[in-house]
Amino acid sequence: MILIVDDDAAVRSSLTFLLKRAGFEPVAVPGPEEALAIVRRETPQLILMDMNFTLTTTGEEGIQLLKQVKIFQPDVPVILMTAWDLSRWLCRECRPVLSIS
């Protein structure tokens, strides 16, 4: 199962369509609460996760969710997605979460 976490219904729909077409079993949810409920009871093969779930564009919500996901599923790969240029901030913030030196 591939978990898609994005508040944008069009993104969830598009990714679900593409992954199903490629033979995967996607599960799409709109936010952190739903995502955490899934990772507490199942182990996804991969998580595709948006960085922003409200009108803020800082990426902080995505980092907080990533930290929580890694508590329950430390070995599951996560691909972080955003429409905003958060590259410098993301590199700085993800280092401690992912144990990158």
Side-chain angles (χ1 to χ4, degrees), residues 9-29:
V11 171
R12 289 193 313 270
S13 178
S14 297
L15 288 173
T16 296
F17 172 79
L18 291 170
L19 289 168
K20 280 184 179 179
R21 192 168 183 197
F24 295 100
E25 296 178 27
V27 172
V29 297

Side-chain angles (χ1 to χ4, degrees), residues 1 11 21 24 29 53 57 60-61 72 78 90 93 97:
M1 178 258 292
V11 171
R21 192 168 183 197
F24 295 100
V29 297
F53 299 100
T57 58
E60 187 66 35
E61 296 162 320
F72 297 102
V78 177
L90 186 58
E93 293 297 316
V97 175

Side-chain angles (χ1 to χ4, degrees), residues 24-83:
F24 295 100
E25 296 178 27
V27 172
V29 297
E33 296 82 17
E34 299 89 348
L36 287 173
I38 290 173
V39 299
R40 284 184 177 125
R41 68 177 189 268
E42 297 181 51
T43 304
Q45 295 170 282
L46 172 68
I47 301 173
L48 302 173
M49 188 174 73
D50 190 13
M51 294 293 297
N52 300 298
F53 299 100
T54 62
L55 295 178
T56 65
T57 58
T58 63
E60 187 66 35
E61 296 162 320
I63 293 298
Q64 292 307 314
L65 178 55
L66 176 63
K67 289 176 182 178
Q68 293 173 330
V69 164
K70 289 299 179 180
I71 290 169
F72 297 102
Q73 301 291 346
D75 298 325
V76 172
V78 177
I79 296 175
L80 301 173
M81 308 179 296
T82 184

